[in-house]
Amino acid sequence: MKVAALYDIHGNAPALQAILVELESVKPDLIVIGGDTISGPMPVQTLEMLFQLDTPVQFIRGNGEREVLLTFDGEAQTLELSDSVREITSWVAEQLSRSDRDFLAQLPLTYTLNREDFEDVLFCHAIPTNDEDIFTPLTPDAIVAAYFEGTQQRTVICGHTHIQFERRLSDLRILNAGSVGMPYADKPGAYWLLLDGDSYEHRFTPYDVEAAAKLIASTNYPQAQQFAEENVRKIPAVQEAIEFIEALAQKNRPSTY
Protein backbone atom coordinates (compact mmCIF):
# COMPACT_ATOMS: atom_id res chain seq x y z
CA MET A 1 0.00 0.00 0.00
CA LYS A 2 1.38 3.36 -1.07
CA VAL A 3 0.64 6.33 1.23
CA ALA A 4 1.48 10.01 0.70
CA ALA A 5 1.82 11.94 3.98
CA LEU A 6 1.28 15.68 3.51
CA TYR A 7 1.86 17.70 6.66
CA ASP A 8 1.84 21.39 7.60
CA ILE A 9 0.41 22.78 4.38
CA HIS A 10 -0.34 26.06 6.18
CA GLY A 11 -2.67 27.39 3.54
CA ASN A 12 0.03 27.39 0.86
CA ALA A 13 -2.25 26.30 -1.98
CA PRO A 14 0.37 26.61 -4.78
CA ALA A 15 2.74 24.25 -2.93
CA LEU A 16 -0.09 21.77 -2.38
CA GLN A 17 -1.14 21.98 -6.01
CA ALA A 18 2.38 21.07 -7.14
CA ILE A 19 2.37 17.94 -4.99
CA LEU A 20 -1.10 16.92 -6.15
CA VAL A 21 0.10 17.11 -9.76
CA GLU A 22 3.05 14.87 -8.87
CA LEU A 23 0.75 12.43 -7.09
CA GLU A 24 -1.10 11.86 -10.35
CA SER A 25 1.91 9.82 -11.47
CA VAL A 26 2.82 8.44 -8.03
CA LYS A 27 -0.75 7.09 -7.65
CA PRO A 28 -0.91 6.61 -3.87
CA ASP A 29 -3.65 4.43 -2.42
CA LEU A 30 -4.18 6.92 0.40
CA ILE A 31 -3.27 10.51 1.21
CA VAL A 32 -2.89 11.42 4.89
CA ILE A 33 -3.21 15.12 5.71
CA GLY A 34 -1.25 15.53 8.92
CA GLY A 35 -2.59 18.73 10.47
CA ASP A 36 -1.88 22.47 10.34
CA THR A 37 -3.54 22.48 6.97
CA ILE A 38 -5.35 25.84 7.05
CA SER A 39 -3.25 28.22 9.15
CA GLY A 40 -1.89 30.33 6.35
CA PRO A 41 -2.76 32.66 3.47
CA MET A 42 -5.18 30.49 1.42
CA PRO A 43 -7.10 28.31 3.91
CA VAL A 44 -10.38 27.88 2.06
CA GLN A 45 -8.72 27.23 -1.30
CA THR A 46 -6.53 24.61 0.36
CA LEU A 47 -9.50 22.78 1.85
CA GLU A 48 -11.40 22.88 -1.43
CA MET A 49 -8.47 21.33 -3.29
CA LEU A 50 -8.33 18.46 -0.80
CA PHE A 51 -12.09 17.94 -0.80
CA GLN A 52 -12.07 17.51 -4.59
CA LEU A 53 -9.54 14.65 -4.66
CA ASP A 54 -10.60 11.25 -6.01
CA THR A 55 -7.90 9.46 -4.00
CA PRO A 56 -9.03 8.50 -0.47
CA VAL A 57 -7.93 11.13 2.04
CA GLN A 58 -7.56 10.80 5.82
CA PHE A 59 -7.23 14.02 7.82
CA ILE A 60 -5.90 14.42 11.35
CA ARG A 61 -5.90 17.51 13.55
CA GLY A 62 -2.97 19.81 14.23
CA ASN A 63 -2.60 22.54 16.81
CA GLY A 64 -3.50 25.02 14.07
CA GLU A 65 -6.93 23.47 13.57
CA ARG A 66 -7.54 23.34 17.32
CA GLU A 67 -6.63 27.00 17.78
CA VAL A 68 -8.71 28.16 14.81
CA LEU A 69 -11.72 26.20 16.03
CA LEU A 70 -11.52 27.70 19.51
CA THR A 71 -11.30 31.14 17.93
CA PHE A 72 -14.23 30.44 15.60
CA ASP A 73 -16.26 29.35 18.64
CA GLY A 74 -15.44 32.53 20.57
CA GLU A 75 -12.99 30.91 22.96
CA ALA A 76 -9.79 32.57 21.78
CA GLN A 77 -9.18 33.92 25.28
CA THR A 78 -8.31 30.38 26.41
CA LEU A 79 -5.32 30.23 24.07
CA GLU A 80 -1.80 31.34 24.94
CA LEU A 81 -0.69 32.80 21.61
CA SER A 82 1.67 35.54 20.56
CA ASP A 83 0.07 38.64 19.08
CA SER A 84 1.16 37.69 15.55
CA VAL A 85 -0.17 34.13 15.81
CA ARG A 86 -3.41 35.37 17.36
CA GLU A 87 -3.86 37.76 14.42
CA ILE A 88 -3.36 34.94 11.94
CA THR A 89 -5.64 32.57 13.83
CA SER A 90 -8.43 35.14 14.00
CA TRP A 91 -8.15 35.90 10.28
CA VAL A 92 -8.23 32.20 9.31
CA ALA A 93 -11.27 31.60 11.54
CA GLU A 94 -13.08 34.44 9.78
CA GLN A 95 -12.55 32.79 6.38
CA LEU A 96 -14.22 29.52 7.35
CA SER A 97 -17.85 28.60 6.79
CA ARG A 98 -19.88 26.75 9.40
CA SER A 99 -19.52 23.56 7.37
CA ASP A 100 -15.71 24.04 7.27
CA ARG A 101 -15.75 24.49 11.04
CA ASP A 102 -17.85 21.37 11.57
CA PHE A 103 -15.58 19.29 9.34
CA LEU A 104 -12.46 20.41 11.20
CA ALA A 105 -14.10 19.84 14.60
CA GLN A 106 -14.48 16.11 14.00
CA LEU A 107 -10.89 15.44 12.97
CA PRO A 108 -9.07 12.88 15.13
CA LEU A 109 -5.81 13.54 16.98
CA THR A 110 -4.23 10.43 15.45
CA TYR A 111 -4.90 7.89 12.73
CA THR A 112 -3.76 4.27 12.65
CA LEU A 113 -3.27 2.66 9.27
CA ASN A 114 -3.95 -1.06 9.57
CA ARG A 115 -2.21 -3.12 6.91
CA GLU A 116 -2.62 -6.84 6.22
CA ASP A 117 0.86 -7.54 4.88
CA PHE A 118 2.87 -5.02 6.92
CA GLU A 119 2.92 -3.59 10.43
CA ASP A 120 0.47 -0.86 11.36
CA VAL A 121 1.51 2.80 11.13
CA LEU A 122 0.47 5.59 13.48
CA PHE A 123 0.04 9.12 12.12
CA CYS A 124 0.06 12.07 14.54
CA HIS A 125 0.73 15.77 14.20
CA ALA A 126 3.28 16.31 16.99
CA ILE A 127 3.33 13.28 19.32
CA PRO A 128 0.70 10.56 19.89
CA THR A 129 -0.82 12.18 22.98
CA ASN A 130 -1.03 15.84 21.94
CA ASP A 131 -0.66 18.21 18.99
CA GLU A 132 1.99 20.57 20.36
CA ASP A 133 4.97 18.92 22.08
CA ILE A 134 8.19 19.43 20.15
CA PHE A 135 11.14 17.16 19.47
CA THR A 136 13.92 17.49 16.90
CA PRO A 137 16.98 15.50 15.79
CA LEU A 138 18.79 17.11 18.78
CA THR A 139 16.26 16.11 21.44
CA PRO A 140 17.73 13.59 23.94
CA ASP A 141 16.55 10.00 23.49
CA ALA A 142 15.09 9.89 26.99
CA ILE A 143 12.71 12.75 26.23
CA VAL A 144 11.64 11.29 22.90
CA ALA A 145 11.08 7.93 24.58
CA ALA A 146 8.85 9.58 27.17
CA TYR A 147 6.81 11.27 24.44
CA PHE A 148 6.21 7.92 22.71
CA GLU A 149 5.81 5.76 25.79
CA GLY A 150 2.99 3.27 25.36
CA THR A 151 2.84 3.62 21.58
CA GLN A 152 1.98 0.21 20.17
CA GLN A 153 2.88 0.86 16.54
CA ARG A 154 6.55 0.57 15.62
CA THR A 155 6.38 3.17 12.84
CA VAL A 156 5.07 6.66 13.60
CA ILE A 157 4.77 9.50 11.10
CA CYS A 158 4.58 13.04 12.45
CA GLY A 159 5.19 16.66 11.49
CA HIS A 160 4.75 19.92 13.47
CA THR A 161 8.39 21.07 13.33
CA HIS A 162 8.47 21.45 9.50
CA ILE A 163 11.75 19.50 9.26
CA GLN A 164 12.23 16.14 7.55
CA PHE A 165 14.11 13.66 9.70
CA GLU A 166 14.13 10.13 11.10
CA ARG A 167 14.59 9.08 14.73
CA ARG A 168 15.07 5.49 15.88
CA LEU A 169 14.66 4.29 19.45
CA SER A 170 15.21 0.56 19.74
CA ASP A 171 12.61 -0.89 17.33
CA LEU A 172 10.61 2.35 17.11
CA ARG A 173 10.95 4.31 13.87
CA ILE A 174 9.73 7.94 13.91
CA LEU A 175 9.53 9.76 10.59
CA ASN A 176 8.91 13.48 10.28
CA ALA A 177 7.27 14.22 6.93
CA GLY A 178 8.44 17.83 6.79
CA SER A 179 6.19 20.66 5.61
CA VAL A 180 4.38 21.22 2.36
CA GLY A 181 3.82 24.94 2.81
CA MET A 182 6.33 26.28 5.35
CA PRO A 183 9.39 24.01 5.22
CA TYR A 184 12.67 24.43 7.02
CA ALA A 185 15.12 22.99 4.52
CA ASP A 186 18.06 23.75 2.25
CA LYS A 187 16.04 25.00 -0.72
CA PRO A 188 12.53 26.36 -1.32
CA GLY A 189 9.86 23.90 -2.39
CA ALA A 190 7.29 21.51 -0.95
CA TYR A 191 8.32 18.62 1.31
CA TRP A 192 6.39 15.43 2.10
CA LEU A 193 6.79 11.72 2.73
CA LEU A 194 5.95 8.64 0.67
CA LEU A 195 5.40 5.35 2.47
CA ASP A 196 5.46 2.21 0.34
CA GLY A 197 5.23 -1.04 2.25
CA ASP A 198 7.98 -0.94 4.87
CA SER A 199 10.11 1.52 2.90
CA TYR A 200 9.77 5.26 2.90
CA GLU A 201 11.14 8.24 1.02
CA HIS A 202 11.40 11.85 2.11
CA ARG A 203 10.18 13.67 -0.98
CA PHE A 204 10.78 17.15 -2.39
CA THR A 205 8.54 18.77 -4.98
CA PRO A 206 9.70 21.98 -6.68
CA TYR A 207 7.18 24.60 -7.74
CA ASP A 208 7.19 28.12 -9.15
CA VAL A 209 7.97 29.93 -5.91
CA GLU A 210 8.07 33.36 -7.56
CA ALA A 211 4.55 32.99 -8.96
CA ALA A 212 3.35 31.54 -5.66
CA ALA A 213 4.91 34.38 -3.68
CA LYS A 214 3.19 36.98 -5.86
CA LEU A 215 -0.16 35.21 -5.50
CA ILE A 216 0.17 34.91 -1.73
CA ALA A 217 1.30 38.53 -1.39
CA SER A 218 -1.86 39.61 -3.20
CA THR A 219 -4.15 38.03 -0.60
CA ASN A 220 -5.51 39.90 2.41
CA TYR A 221 -3.78 37.51 4.80
CA PRO A 222 -2.43 39.70 7.66
CA GLN A 223 1.19 38.70 7.07
CA ALA A 224 0.99 37.99 3.35
CA GLN A 225 4.19 39.78 2.33
CA GLN A 226 6.20 38.22 5.15
CA PHE A 227 4.91 34.74 4.32
CA ALA A 228 5.76 35.21 0.65
CA GLU A 229 9.29 36.40 1.39
CA GLU A 230 10.27 34.17 4.32
CA ASN A 231 8.38 30.93 3.63
CA VAL A 232 8.12 30.78 -0.15
CA ARG A 233 10.86 32.77 -1.95
CA LYS A 234 13.32 32.02 0.83
CA ILE A 235 12.99 29.55 3.68
CA PRO A 236 14.78 29.00 7.01
CA ALA A 237 17.92 26.86 6.72
CA VAL A 238 17.42 23.44 8.20
CA GLN A 239 20.30 23.32 10.71
CA GLU A 240 19.61 26.80 12.03
CA ALA A 241 15.93 25.90 12.37
CA ILE A 242 16.73 22.69 14.26
CA GLU A 243 18.95 24.52 16.73
CA PHE A 244 16.44 27.34 17.23
CA ILE A 245 13.45 25.01 17.70
CA GLU A 246 15.33 22.73 20.07
CA ALA A 247 16.44 25.66 22.22
CA LEU A 248 12.85 26.89 22.37
CA ALA A 249 11.58 23.42 23.23
CA GLN A 250 14.13 23.02 26.04
CA LYS A 251 12.97 26.27 27.58
CA ASN A 252 9.31 25.26 27.48
CA ARG A 253 9.53 21.59 28.49
CA PRO A 254 8.28 20.71 31.99
CA SER A 255 10.99 19.90 34.49
CA THR A 256 9.69 16.32 34.62
CA TYR A 257 11.47 15.78 31.29
Side-chain angles (χ1 to χ4, degrees):
M1 186 175 188
K2 195 180 294 186
V3 182
L6 312 186
Y7 276 66
D8 295 282
I9 300 169
H10 280 280
N12 185 341
L16 172 62
Q17 179 61 38
I19 292 178
L20 296 182
V21 170
E22 184 170 351
L23 292 184
E24 292 176 5
S25 59
V26 174
K27 299 185 184 306
D29 301 290
L30 175 69
I31 299 172
V32 176
I33 305 299
D36 281 15
T37 303
I38 58 170
S39 295
M42 304 175 73
V44 174
Q45 297 93 322
T46 297
L47 282 179
E48 289 175 348
M49 289 166 62
L50 295 171
F51 290 159
Q52 292 170 5
L53 292 174
D54 293 328
T55 304
V57 181
Q58 172 66 51
F59 290 78
I60 61 174
R61 185 193 82 210
N63 59 293
E65 282 76 31
R66 173 173 53 81
E67 292 158 3
V68 167
L69 285 170
L70 286 169
T71 302
F72 187 104
D73 292 342
E75 300 177 29
Q77 71 279 2
T78 64
L79 295 168
E80 295 183 5
L81 302 175
S82 67
D83 290 343
S84 62
V85 173
R86 190 174 298 277
E87 180 185 32
I88 290 169
T89 303
S90 296
W91 182 86
V92 172
E94 291 170 359
Q95 311 310 305
L96 301 181
S97 66
R98 170 59 62 171
S99 61
D100 292 334
R101 179 260 173 220
D102 292 345
F103 169 77
L104 295 170
Q106 53 82 44
L107 297 183
L109 178 66
T110 65
Y111 166 68
T112 300
L113 175 64
N114 299 305
R115 306 184 295 176
E116 291 185 3
D117 298 327
F118 299 93
E119 292 186 351
D120 296 344
V121 178
L122 178 68
F123 294 82
C124 60
H125 180 67
I127 67 172
T129 53
N130 68 64
D131 57 26
E132 59 186 0
D133 277 336
I134 291 172
F135 69 98
T136 75
L138 300 179
T139 305
D141 285 352
I143 293 174
V144 179
Y147 284 161
F148 289 84
E149 184 178 6
T151 301
Q152 299 301 310
Q153 299 81 6
R154 298 295 83 195
T155 297
V156 180
I157 297 177
C158 62
H160 190 46
T161 58
H162 302 198
I163 302 164
Q164 289 183 333
F165 64 86
E166 176 184 9
R167 290 289 302 259
R168 286 185 178 267
L169 296 173
S170 185
D171 64 340
L172 176 64
R173 178 174 63 171
I174 306 166
L175 304 172
N176 192 303
S179 172
V180 172
M182 292 181 66
Y184 304 150
D186 291 331
K187 59 182 177 179
Y191 292 76
W192 54 289
L193 184 139
L194 181 64
L195 183 69
D196 189 357
D198 276 338
S199 66
Y200 77 94
E201 183 181 357
H202 278 125
R203 298 291 291 260
F204 164 76
T205 299
Y207 65 101
D208 189 338
V209 294
E210 184 59 33
K214 289 179 179 178
L215 179 62
I216 287 168
S218 72
T219 68
N220 61 352
Y221 181 64
Q223 300 171 24
Q225 193 64 45
Q226 181 179 351
F227 191 103
E229 291 296 332
E230 299 179 7
N231 297 112
V232 179
R233 285 192 176 100
K234 300 176 182 177
I235 62 174
V238 61
Q239 192 57 40
E240 291 179 7
I242 289 172
E243 293 172 1
F244 176 82
I245 292 170
E246 182 61 29
L248 184 64
Q250 288 177 7
K251 184 171 66 175
N252 293 329
R253 281 182 191 126
S255 59
T256 51
Y257 292 120

PDB file of all heavy atoms in Angstrom, residues 26-40:
ATOM      1  N   VAL A  26       2.456   9.321  -9.144  1.00  0.00           N
ATOM      2  CA  VAL A  26       2.820   8.438  -8.026  1.00  0.00           C
ATOM      3  C   VAL A  26       1.699   7.440  -7.740  1.00  0.00           C
ATOM      4  O   VAL A  26       1.930   6.292  -7.389  1.00  0.00           O
ATOM      5  CB  VAL A  26       3.131   9.274  -6.766  1.00  0.00           C
ATOM      6  CG1 VAL A  26       3.371   8.379  -5.555  1.00  0.00           C
ATOM      7  CG2 VAL A  26       4.353  10.158  -7.011  1.00  0.00           C
ATOM      8  N   LYS A  27       0.451   7.904  -7.861  1.00  0.00           N
ATOM      9  CA  LYS A  27      -0.750   7.090  -7.651  1.00  0.00           C
ATOM     10  C   LYS A  27      -0.785   6.425  -6.270  1.00  0.00           C
ATOM     11  O   LYS A  27      -0.829   5.194  -6.159  1.00  0.00           O
ATOM     12  CB  LYS A  27      -0.878   6.031  -8.751  1.00  0.00           C
ATOM     13  CG  LYS A  27      -1.001   6.595 -10.153  1.00  0.00           C
ATOM     14  CD  LYS A  27      -1.251   5.511 -11.172  1.00  0.00           C
ATOM     15  CE  LYS A  27      -1.267   6.056 -12.595  1.00  0.00           C
ATOM     16  NZ  LYS A  27      -2.205   7.162 -12.786  1.00  0.00           N
ATOM     17  N   PRO A  28      -0.799   7.210  -5.201  1.00  0.00           N
ATOM     18  CA  PRO A  28      -0.909   6.608  -3.867  1.00  0.00           C
ATOM     19  C   PRO A  28      -2.301   6.011  -3.660  1.00  0.00           C
ATOM     20  O   PRO A  28      -3.286   6.437  -4.271  1.00  0.00           O
ATOM     21  CB  PRO A  28      -0.683   7.797  -2.936  1.00  0.00           C
ATOM     22  CG  PRO A  28      -1.165   8.980  -3.711  1.00  0.00           C
ATOM     23  CD  PRO A  28      -0.786   8.687  -5.147  1.00  0.00           C
ATOM     24  N   ASP A  29      -2.363   5.010  -2.785  1.00  0.00           N
ATOM     25  CA  ASP A  29      -3.653   4.430  -2.416  1.00  0.00           C
ATOM     26  C   ASP A  29      -4.380   5.283  -1.394  1.00  0.00           C
ATOM     27  O   ASP A  29      -5.606   5.201  -1.265  1.00  0.00           O
ATOM     28  CB  ASP A  29      -3.432   3.022  -1.834  1.00  0.00           C
ATOM     29  CG  ASP A  29      -2.741   2.113  -2.823  1.00  0.00           C
ATOM     30  OD1 ASP A  29      -3.377   1.742  -3.823  1.00  0.00           O
ATOM     31  OD2 ASP A  29      -1.551   1.805  -2.606  1.00  0.00           O
ATOM     32  N   LEU A  30      -3.614   6.086  -0.654  1.00  0.00           N
ATOM     33  CA  LEU A  30      -4.184   6.919   0.404  1.00  0.00           C
ATOM     34  C   LEU A  30      -3.325   8.160   0.568  1.00  0.00           C
ATOM     35  O   LEU A  30      -2.100   8.098   0.449  1.00  0.00           O
ATOM     36  CB  LEU A  30      -4.213   6.143   1.735  1.00  0.00           C
ATOM     37  CG  LEU A  30      -4.669   6.890   2.985  1.00  0.00           C
ATOM     38  CD1 LEU A  30      -6.150   7.227   2.915  1.00  0.00           C
ATOM     39  CD2 LEU A  30      -4.363   6.070   4.237  1.00  0.00           C
ATOM     40  N   ILE A  31      -3.973   9.285   0.845  1.00  0.00           N
ATOM     41  CA  ILE A  31      -3.267  10.511   1.209  1.00  0.00           C
ATOM     42  C   ILE A  31      -3.646  10.841   2.649  1.00  0.00           C
ATOM     43  O   ILE A  31      -4.831  10.911   2.979  1.00  0.00           O
ATOM     44  CB  ILE A  31      -3.659  11.686   0.286  1.00  0.00           C
ATOM     45  CG1 ILE A  31      -3.287  11.377  -1.163  1.00  0.00           C
ATOM     46  CG2 ILE A  31      -2.984  12.976   0.743  1.00  0.00           C
ATOM     47  CD1 ILE A  31      -3.815  12.395  -2.160  1.00  0.00           C
ATOM     48  N   VAL A  32      -2.649  11.009   3.504  1.00  0.00           N
ATOM     49  CA  VAL A  32      -2.887  11.418   4.891  1.00  0.00           C
ATOM     50  C   VAL A  32      -2.499  12.883   5.024  1.00  0.00           C
ATOM     51  O   VAL A  32      -1.368  13.266   4.704  1.00  0.00           O
ATOM     52  CB  VAL A  32      -2.087  10.564   5.891  1.00  0.00           C
ATOM     53  CG1 VAL A  32      -2.280  11.084   7.313  1.00  0.00           C
ATOM     54  CG2 VAL A  32      -2.523   9.103   5.805  1.00  0.00           C
ATOM     55  N   ILE A  33      -3.435  13.697   5.481  1.00  0.00           N
ATOM     56  CA  ILE A  33      -3.209  15.119   5.711  1.00  0.00           C
ATOM     57  C   ILE A  33      -2.955  15.295   7.200  1.00  0.00           C
ATOM     58  O   ILE A  33      -3.846  15.092   8.026  1.00  0.00           O
ATOM     59  CB  ILE A  33      -4.412  15.963   5.252  1.00  0.00           C
ATOM     60  CG1 ILE A  33      -4.728  15.670   3.781  1.00  0.00           C
ATOM     61  CG2 ILE A  33      -4.136  17.439   5.465  1.00  0.00           C
ATOM     62  CD1 ILE A  33      -3.612  15.982   2.819  1.00  0.00           C
ATOM     63  N   GLY A  34      -1.723  15.666   7.551  1.00  0.00           N
ATOM     64  CA  GLY A  34      -1.254  15.530   8.916  1.00  0.00           C
ATOM     65  C   GLY A  34      -1.408  16.727   9.835  1.00  0.00           C
ATOM     66  O   GLY A  34      -0.690  16.837  10.822  1.00  0.00           O
ATOM     67  N   GLY A  35      -2.342  17.622   9.550  1.00  0.00           N
ATOM     68  CA  GLY A  35      -2.591  18.732  10.471  1.00  0.00           C
ATOM     69  C   GLY A  35      -1.880  20.005  10.086  1.00  0.00           C
ATOM     70  O   GLY A  35      -0.949  20.022   9.283  1.00  0.00           O
ATOM     71  N   ASP A  36      -2.332  21.115  10.684  1.00  0.00           N
ATOM     72  CA  ASP A  36      -1.878  22.469  10.341  1.00  0.00           C
ATOM     73  C   ASP A  36      -2.035  22.705   8.842  1.00  0.00           C
ATOM     74  O   ASP A  36      -1.130  23.187   8.152  1.00  0.00           O
ATOM     75  CB  ASP A  36      -0.441  22.710  10.804  1.00  0.00           C
ATOM     76  CG  ASP A  36      -0.371  23.027  12.295  1.00  0.00           C
ATOM     77  OD1 ASP A  36      -1.366  22.789  13.009  1.00  0.00           O
ATOM     78  OD2 ASP A  36       0.669  23.513  12.753  1.00  0.00           O
ATOM     79  N   THR A  37      -3.217  22.390   8.381  1.00  0.00           N
ATOM     80  CA  THR A  37      -3.540  22.484   6.967  1.00  0.00           C
ATOM     81  C   THR A  37      -3.952  23.893   6.562  1.00  0.00           C
ATOM     82  O   THR A  37      -3.603  24.370   5.482  1.00  0.00           O
ATOM     83  CB  THR A  37      -4.686  21.500   6.641  1.00  0.00           C
ATOM     84  OG1 THR A  37      -4.291  20.189   7.029  1.00  0.00           O
ATOM     85  CG2 THR A  37      -5.039  21.512   5.167  1.00  0.00           C
ATOM     86  N   ILE A  38      -4.673  24.600   7.444  1.00  0.00           N
ATOM     87  CA  ILE A  38      -5.345  25.843   7.045  1.00  0.00           C
ATOM     88  C   ILE A  38      -4.698  27.114   7.568  1.00  0.00           C
ATOM     89  O   ILE A  38      -5.050  28.206   7.117  1.00  0.00           O
ATOM     90  CB  ILE A  38      -6.820  25.817   7.489  1.00  0.00           C
ATOM     91  CG1 ILE A  38      -6.918  25.623   9.015  1.00  0.00           C
ATOM     92  CG2 ILE A  38      -7.573  24.721   6.754  1.00  0.00           C
ATOM     93  CD1 ILE A  38      -8.317  25.813   9.570  1.00  0.00           C
ATOM     94  N   SER A  39      -3.801  27.018   8.521  1.00  0.00           N
ATOM     95  CA  SER A  39      -3.249  28.221   9.151  1.00  0.00           C
ATOM     96  C   SER A  39      -2.226  28.885   8.251  1.00  0.00           C
ATOM     97  O   SER A  39      -1.021  28.689   8.383  1.00  0.00           O
ATOM     98  CB  SER A  39      -2.624  27.869  10.505  1.00  0.00           C
ATOM     99  OG  SER A  39      -3.616  27.431  11.394  1.00  0.00           O
ATOM    100  N   GLY A  40      -2.734  29.664   7.312  1.00  0.00           N
ATOM    101  CA  GLY A  40      -1.891  30.326   6.348  1.00  0.00           C
ATOM    102  C   GLY A  40      -2.721  31.172   5.409  1.00  0.00           C
ATOM    103  O   GLY A  40      -3.904  31.405   5.645  1.00  0.00           O
TER     104      GLY A  40
END
